[in-house]
Amino acid sequence: MKNWYNKVMVQSLNTKTSTPFPAIAYVGLGSVYGKLLIGDKAFEFFNDANVEDAIQIPWDTIYHVEGVVSRNNKIGRQIVVVLNRQGNSKRQNHLRFSSKESGKILKLVREHLGNDKVVKAPTIIRTLINKFTRRKG
């Protein structure tokens, strides 16, 4: 008789990780609560409710990581991971996370990616200016 209760834990890509940070992943139309791990080989998010549900991003597939900074230079809770372009696609995939410990997370990410790949997220006004001033070609 097949036992469908056995759940297989997703194997981590990392050999060494930081302490897990409580975080929220914004996937699709909803949000998922879980733990965020920063390791030596990947950026990982594990769902609290479903053991099999995980987001694993190797460091070499990350284009850059954006941290939301307010007007008075305080780091917000939002972290955006921008992935490299796939094939001939002009669009880049964005994965959005939120955590109270976003400052510590960004410091750990900076150790693995470098200072030039951890950037300040553009504001809404900057995004609109970029949309209207972008050249066709």
Side-chain angles (χ1 to χ4, degrees), residues 32-99:
V32 178
Y33 291 86
K35 301 284 185 271
L36 195 63
L37 292 172
I38 308 297
D40 57 342
K41 296 183 181 173
F43 183 96
E44 297 179 322
F45 177 83
F46 292 99
N47 188 347
D48 282 342
N50 186 1
V51 188
E52 297 174 353
D53 192 14
I55 300 172
Q56 297 176 317
I57 310 165
W59 293 119
D60 59 345
T61 61
I62 296 176
Y63 183 70
H64 69 261
V65 177
E66 298 175 352
V68 176
V69 180
S70 66
R71 282 187 181 184
N72 50 359
N73 290 332
K74 291 199 175 190
I75 297 174
R77 293 184 176 196
Q78 298 284 322
I79 299 168
V80 180
V81 178
V82 181
L83 302 177
N84 291 329
R85 289 188 171 95
Q86 301 292 322
N88 293 335
S89 175
K90 292 183 179 179
R91 228 179 124 195
Q92 290 177 315
N93 290 329
H94 293 70
L95 298 170
R96 188 172 296 274
F97 299 94
S98 176
S99 176

Side-chain angles (χ1 to χ4, degrees), residues 16-27:
K16 290 186 273 181
T17 62
S18 65
T19 57
F21 297 103
I24 302 169
Y26 298 102
V27 184

